[in-house]
Amino acid sequence: MALTKKPVTGMKDILPTEMQLRDYCIGVIKETYGQFGFHSIETPCVEHMENLNSKQGGENEKLIFKILKRGEKLNLEEARQEADLVDGGLRYDLTVPLVRFYANHANELSAPFKALQIGNVWRADRPQKGRYRQFMQCDIDILGEPSNLAEIELILATTTTLGRLGFSGFQIRINDRKILKAMAAYSGFTEESYDTVFIILDKMDKIGLEGVSAELLKNGFDQAAVDKYLELFKGLKDEQDGISWLAQKLEGFLEEEVQAGLKEIIASVKATKASDFEIVFDPTLVRGMSYYTGTIFEIAMPQFGGSCGGGGRYDKMVGKFTGNDVPACGFSIGFERIILIMLENGFRIPGQPKRCAYLIEKGVSGQELCDVIARAQKAREDGTQVLVARMNKNKKFQKEQLAKDGYTEIEEFYKNPLK
Amino acid sequence: MALTKKPVTGMKDILPTEMQLRDYCIGVIKETYGQFGFHSIETPCVEHMENLNSKQGGENEKLIFKILKRGEKLNLEEARQEADLVDGGLRYDLTVPLVRFYANHANELSAPFKALQIGNVWRADRPQKGRYRQFMQCDIDILGEPSNLAEIELILATTTTLGRLGFSGFQIRINDRKILKAMAAYSGFTEESYDTVFIILDKMDKIGLEGVSAELLKNGFDQAAVDKYLELFKGLKDEQDGISWLAQKLEGFLEEEVQAGLKEIIASVKATKASDFEIVFDPTLVRGMSYYTGTIFEIAMPQFGGSCGGGGRYDKMVGKFTGNDVPACGFSIGFERIILIMLENGFRIPGQPKRCAYLIEKGVSGQELCDVIARAQKAREDGTQVLVARMNKNKKFQKEQLAKDGYTEIEEFYKNPLK
């Protein structure tokens, strides 16, 4: 029976050229984050169904790859519901497993705990171009740090990493869930309607002020509330210091410390950043996940079509596992997006070792073979990559293929006719 | 609702200390294998059920984590068999996915193709100490190389890597499936009984010659065949050049080239090896997987209780996917075993960057905070790992914990009382 050659639907094989870039990026990421005191941890790819379905994952909870129970004989005849068959699933993000990990190991970890996770996650999204059902996420998180030092360090670490990967001229957009809520409250929206309002606000980038206004009205919101809300965004456009202006407008709706906190994050990042980017206050920034409780931020690369990562503060999630809230804040790089951009821009990996190929004629054996291998061993010792292979019948094609794979030197070894 | 803190049954969280060692080892492995011309590839963790169940996985096929179908509404009421619900599973090894990958991409790859894979695999083994249901495998394979240059390069690459990870004094044991078969044929066993005979032979290490003899007889094998078989092993004990002696004995049962091939592998490896180990012919070496067709080998570290990896030639597996056989040979390091040994022996990672912690008193803000962060940024630029964190109430405990985490320098920053 011939077997199936293609990968499973929506997942992909990664070939050497892309893998080399991925390995290089992971190396830079680990080294740079390490310099900021983030240390790697790992959790299993399989997670308890009840944790995945804990309402922390939003829409992702609908996209879980579920795994049949093991260790008991499954009775299909009697199974009436999924829970009779399934008790685990593939993780759809790294945040839920991180929080479980922290709940399980807090006593063994430093406080605050700074974690780096690079790992695959799975989502059964409808397959489409450039979007896969298995993809890598790259998250840093700080647990146990209530002050905005967490946000400052997360933003500096992430932007330094992006800089070292060759990115520049991008934007970090920052907002606070509390500002979003205060603006909605000030305008007269009811608390139950916030989620709907924010989903519409999130489209500002695409449909503009007029579009947001029209869609809010279409959703049946009060004209006065919509007008008051939109006035805030119009007013902000002309302000140099939008945060101060807004804080004054929202007096009575917004805690004083939110303004001071955001300003300090922006000022500190500007003063100490190690790469070329802007950090800007963006009151239209929403971020989808409902678990965020405070600051939210996003990497914007308009030249590459949008967001390349984001994060924020989620102070209530650990409490879901332990009963005791722990302040938490994280930043995730859109790893697959970054790789795609670098590939499309023909990024050249710096400092790669030289690649040599030694092609040996068929029939070269014994001492002659040993001599060639010994020479390769010496070059390897010195850091050169040496491929030792038999010469193919079609030597020309073989050499072309090797050149394509980055082998800049090719030597040929023939059987000694005198022996 | 409190969520579940423990990882799923049989899988484990990996804490920073172990992750640091794993990352270090992966770095050494990738660099060393790279110098031998092995380049990384990756396949999805999820594989087609029909590929996993293709009889290439032996006993592992009973241990598959199966994944519910996606993209169609599952009807539990009507499902009568597992295939109605399941179409994919988590891979139990990296060889089946590699062969599928090669079948799918052969036109885009160099010939011969040298692949490095480091990735997780899953087996629903009965949970037991030191054995996990998710674990990392680390395989190199050469596809398209019929000559024993493949074996030589695989053994050199693997042993060089082990040497760079600090291992020495180990053994590479080597045998050939064709010798195993010739010895059984010469003794008079029928071809159908080979598998049973080899399973018993595989216990030689533990039960000795007498034990193997007794168990063969207990299984109903002919006394004369058992005696003749055991005479071969007894005879080998006193031979300096076991391969030649055996080849002579097995004349008519063993192709001449097997002897020459094995001898050339052993001689070439001895002449060009870059680390401290022995390579020895071991006619009792069996290796479990039935897909092996020629040479088989194993890393023996008796001081650490046995095998730390192995491999061999499997020239018939690609043909299962494509209809055309392609010579193939691979070597797998027992990654988890290696990590366990290194942890138990207190391995110290060389060349680690210095770790400093800057502890900042609560209330330090504005320009003072920026000054501390700017100093950290400068040190990071120079390669130091700098953790910037708020001072905890229990500063003494915090500093102890940091020291445990490898922070050798701790500086404290207080609010300037003069301001």
Side-chain angles (χ1 to χ4, degrees):
Chain A
M1 182 189 67
L3 301 177
T4 312
K5 290 194 224 176
K6 298 267 170 228
V8 297
T9 310
M11 302 191 193
K12 70 164 183 172
D13 291 329
I14 304 175
L15 276 82
T17 309
E18 179 174 338
M19 267 311 283
Q20 206 188 343
L21 179 64
R22 296 172 78 97
D23 280 347
Y24 168 76
C25 289
I26 289 174
V28 170
I29 288 170
K30 288 205 170 175
E31 188 189 349
T32 309
Y33 283 156
Q35 287 169 357
F36 284 81
F38 292 92
H39 301 304
S40 292
I41 65 153
E42 215 171 88
T43 62
C45 300
V46 182
E47 189 53 70
H48 300 285
M49 239 10 240
E50 65 261 35
N51 290 356
L52 295 175
N53 275 329
S54 64
K55 309 253 179 298
Q56 303 303 307
E59 290 296 298
N60 296 331
E61 296 192 0
K62 296 180 189 156
L63 305 174
I64 300 170
F65 284 99
K66 294 163 191 167
I67 297 172
L68 282 195
K69 284 185 192 177
R70 292 286 328 193
E72 48 185 292
K73 189 104 189 108
L74 289 182
N75 191 333
L76 283 185
E77 303 280 325
E78 287 180 15
R80 284 290 159 266
Q81 47 187 359
E82 230 174 56
D84 296 332
L85 297 173
V86 161
D87 57 0
L90 294 175
R91 61 186 180 197
Y92 50 73
D93 75 4
L94 300 176
T95 309
V96 169
L98 169 71
V99 171
R100 184 195 53 67
F101 174 100
Y102 182 80
N104 195 24
H105 300 286
N107 289 338
E108 305 158 67
L109 305 171
S110 288
F113 175 56
K114 299 176 86 171
L116 162 62
Q117 294 181 92
I118 302 177
N120 283 315
V121 302
W122 290 263
R123 293 179 194 167
D125 258 319
R126 196 184 300 271
Q128 53 185 300
K129 196 177 169 294
R131 222 164 158 176
Y132 292 96
R133 289 179 154 196
Q134 171 179 318
F135 58 97
M136 193 157 264
Q137 284 202 331
C138 173
D139 290 12
I140 46 172
D141 293 88
I142 304 179
L143 290 104
E145 175 58 70
S147 88
N148 60 17
L149 184 53
E151 281 86 343
I152 296 168
E153 286 281 284
L154 288 167
I155 294 170
L156 286 176
T158 303
T159 53
T160 303
T161 300
L162 288 172
R164 291 194 187 166
L165 290 174
F167 288 90
S168 65
F170 55 92
Q171 261 191 354
I172 299 293
R173 296 181 182 161
I174 187 166
N175 195 8
D176 194 303
R177 278 268 177 186
K178 290 178 191 134
I179 291 179
L180 278 175
K181 286 183 184 174
M183 288 175 85
Y186 161 89
S187 307
F189 294 107
T190 60
E191 203 164 335
E192 308 79 64
S193 65
Y194 287 176
D195 279 347
T196 317
V197 173
F198 298 159
I199 288 171
I200 296 169
L201 175 64
D202 203 16
K203 303 180 185 170
M204 184 77 88
D205 253 8
K206 286 175 195 148
I207 61 177
L209 270 172
E210 297 309 313
V212 169
S213 168
E215 198 161 330
L216 285 170
L217 292 171
K218 214 182 76 187
N219 271 263
F221 288 110
D222 183 54
Q223 176 87 50
V226 173
D227 286 349
K228 205 170 171 192
Y229 196 46
L230 271 292
E231 278 308 316
L232 282 179
F233 291 101
K234 281 180 201 151
L236 270 166
K237 283 204 163 170
D238 306 321
E239 289 301 321
Q240 274 294 318
D241 180 5
I243 301 177
S244 301
W245 181 84
L246 199 57
Q248 207 173 4
K249 278 271 181 194
L250 299 178
E251 217 191 318
F253 293 91
L254 186 67
E255 302 152 51
E256 175 60 26
E257 69 211 37
V258 174
Q259 177 195 177
L262 259 190
K263 281 182 177 168
E264 186 164 72
I265 294 170
I266 294 173
S268 304
V269 168
K270 279 186 177 162
T272 59
K273 67 183 185 174
S275 60
D276 166 36
F277 69 96
E278 272 196 312
I279 177 164
V280 292
F281 170 58
D282 178 358
T284 71
L285 182 69
V286 172
R287 301 287 303 158
M289 303 307 292
S290 58
Y291 56 64
Y292 289 125
T293 55
T295 337
I296 46 179
F297 30 82
E298 193 166 276
I299 307 162
M301 298 197 183
Q303 71 273 39
F304 299 124
S307 164
C308 290
R313 186 169 276 281
Y314 53 101
D315 286 346
K316 300 288 177 190
M317 207 199 286
V318 176
K320 295 273 193 302
F321 283 80
T322 61
N324 296 312
D325 287 337
V326 170
C329 198
F331 205 150
S332 176
I333 290 182
F335 185 80
E336 303 291 345
R337 171 65 72 100
I338 294 294
I339 294 292
L340 200 65
I341 293 171
M342 292 173 84
L343 284 173
E344 283 175 354
N345 287 279
F347 179 84
R348 281 183 169 244
I349 301 173
Q352 286 302 95
K354 194 169 72 172
R355 287 190 176 177
C356 296
Y358 292 1
L359 298 183
I360 308 173
E361 192 188 23
K362 203 178 155 186
V364 174
S365 67
Q367 189 56 47
E368 284 177 282
L369 182 65
C370 278
D371 290 347
V372 181
I373 296 173
R375 213 175 123 188
Q377 288 286 81
K378 202 170 283 173
R380 288 162 178 162
E381 200 71 52
D382 300 336
T384 306
Q385 297 193 348
V386 186
L387 177 90
V388 179
R390 291 283 176 188
M391 226 169 262
N392 290 349
K393 275 182 198 151
N394 189 341
K395 193 177 70 182
K396 186 159 167 282
F397 180 75
Q398 186 179 20
K399 287 166 77 172
E400 283 167 11
Q401 189 66 47
L402 285 168
K404 235 179 70 184
D405 288 351
Y407 287 88
T408 49
E409 278 180 33
I410 300 177
E411 287 190 57
E412 298 168 32
F413 298 87
Y414 292 91
K415 203 165 153 57
N416 187 338
L418 296 177
K419 275 190 183 167
Chain B
M1 183 191 66
L3 300 177
T4 311
K5 290 194 226 176
K6 297 267 171 229
V8 298
T9 310
M11 302 191 193
K12 70 165 184 171
D13 291 328
I14 304 175
L15 277 81
T17 309
E18 179 175 339
M19 268 310 284
Q20 204 186 344
L21 179 63
R22 295 172 80 96
D23 280 347
Y24 168 76
C25 289
I26 290 173
V28 170
I29 289 169
K30 289 204 169 176
E31 188 188 349
T32 309
Y33 282 155
Q35 286 169 357
F36 284 80
F38 291 93
H39 301 303
S40 292
I41 64 152
E42 215 172 86
T43 62
C45 300
V46 182
E47 189 53 71
H48 300 285
M49 239 9 238
E50 66 262 33
N51 290 357
L52 294 175
N53 275 329
S54 64
K55 309 256 179 296
Q56 302 303 308
E59 289 297 298
N60 296 331
E61 297 193 359
K62 297 180 188 155
L63 306 175
I64 300 169
F65 284 98
K66 295 164 191 165
I67 297 172
L68 282 195
K69 284 186 191 176
R70 293 284 329 191
E72 49 184 296
K73 188 108 188 106
L74 289 182
N75 191 331
L76 284 185
E77 303 280 324
E78 286 180 14
R80 283 290 158 265
Q81 47 185 0
E82 229 175 55
D84 296 332
L85 297 174
V86 162
D87 57 0
L90 293 176
R91 60 185 180 199
Y92 50 73
D93 75 3
L94 300 176
T95 308
V96 169
L98 169 71
V99 172
R100 183 195 53 67
F101 174 100
Y102 182 79
N104 194 25
H105 300 285
N107 289 339
E108 306 158 67
L109 305 171
S110 288
F113 175 56
K114 298 176 87 172
L116 163 61
Q117 294 180 93
I118 303 178
N120 283 313
V121 302
W122 290 263
R123 292 178 196 170
D125 258 320
R126 195 183 300 274
Q128 51 184 301
K129 194 175 170 298
R131 217 157 165 183
Y132 292 95
R133 289 178 155 197
Q134 170 178 318
F135 58 97
M136 193 157 264
Q137 284 201 333
C138 173
D139 290 13
I140 47 174
D141 293 87
I142 303 179
L143 290 102
E145 175 57 71
S147 88
N148 60 16
L149 185 54
E151 281 86 343
I152 296 168
E153 286 282 283
L154 288 167
I155 294 170
L156 287 176
T158 303
T159 52
T160 303
T161 300
L162 287 172
R164 291 194 187 165
L165 290 174
F167 289 88
S168 66
F170 54 92
Q171 261 191 355
I172 299 292
R173 295 183 182 160
I174 187 164
N175 195 8
D176 194 302
R177 278 269 178 186
K178 291 177 190 134
I179 292 180
L180 278 175
K181 286 182 184 174
M183 289 173 84
Y186 162 88
S187 307
F189 294 105
T190 59
E191 203 164 337
E192 309 80 64
S193 65
Y194 287 177
D195 279 346
T196 317
V197 173
F198 298 159
I199 288 170
I200 296 168
L201 174 64
D202 203 16
K203 303 181 185 171
M204 184 77 88
D205 254 8
K206 285 175 195 148
I207 61 177
L209 271 172
E210 297 308 312
V212 169
S213 169
E215 197 161 332
L216 285 170
L217 292 171
K218 215 181 75 188
N219 271 263
F221 288 109
D222 182 55
Q223 177 86 48
V226 174
D227 286 349
K228 204 169 172 193
Y229 196 46
L230 272 292
E231 279 308 316
L232 282 178
F233 293 101
K234 283 180 201 152
L236 271 165
K237 284 205 162 169
D238 306 320
E239 289 302 320
Q240 273 294 318
D241 180 5
I243 302 177
S244 301
W245 181 85
L246 200 56
Q248 204 172 8
K249 278 269 179 193
L250 299 177
E251 216 189 316
F253 294 92
L254 186 67
E255 303 152 53
E256 176 62 26
E257 67 210 40
V258 174
Q259 179 196 176
L262 260 189
K263 281 183 179 167
E264 186 165 69
I265 294 169
I266 293 173
S268 305
V269 167
K270 278 186 178 164
T272 59
K273 66 182 186 174
S275 59
D276 166 36
F277 69 95
E278 272 195 313
I279 177 164
V280 293
F281 169 57
D282 178 357
T284 71
L285 182 68
V286 172
R287 300 288 303 161
M289 303 308 291
S290 57
Y291 56 65
Y292 289 124
T293 56
T295 337
I296 46 179
F297 30 82
E298 191 166 275
I299 307 162
M301 297 198 184
Q303 70 273 38
F304 300 123
S307 164
C308 289
R313 185 168 276 280
Y314 54 101
D315 285 346
K316 299 289 175 189
M317 207 199 286
V318 175
K320 295 273 193 305
F321 284 80
T322 63
N324 295 314
D325 286 337
V326 170
C329 198
F331 205 150
S332 176
I333 290 183
F335 186 80
E336 303 290 346
R337 171 64 72 98
I338 295 293
I339 293 293
L340 199 65
I341 293 172
M342 293 173 85
L343 283 173
E344 281 176 356
N345 287 279
F347 180 84
R348 280 180 172 247
I349 301 173
Q352 286 301 97
K354 194 168 71 172
R355 288 190 174 177
C356 297
Y358 293 0
L359 299 183
I360 307 173
E361 192 189 22
K362 201 177 157 185
V364 174
S365 68
Q367 190 54 49
E368 285 178 282
L369 182 65
C370 278
D371 290 346
V372 180
I373 296 173
R375 211 172 125 189
Q377 287 286 81
K378 201 169 284 173
R380 287 162 178 163
E381 200 70 52
D382 300 336
T384 307
Q385 297 195 348
V386 186
L387 177 90
V388 179
R390 292 283 177 188
M391 225 169 260
N392 289 349
K393 275 182 196 150
N394 190 342
K395 194 176 71 181
K396 186 160 167 282
F397 180 75
Q398 186 179 20
K399 287 166 76 172
E400 283 167 11
Q401 189 66 47
L402 285 169
K404 237 179 66 185
D405 288 350
Y407 287 89
T408 49
E409 277 180 34
I410 301 178
E411 286 189 58
E412 299 170 30
F413 298 86
Y414 292 91
K415 203 166 151 58
N416 187 338
L418 296 177
K419 277 193 185 168

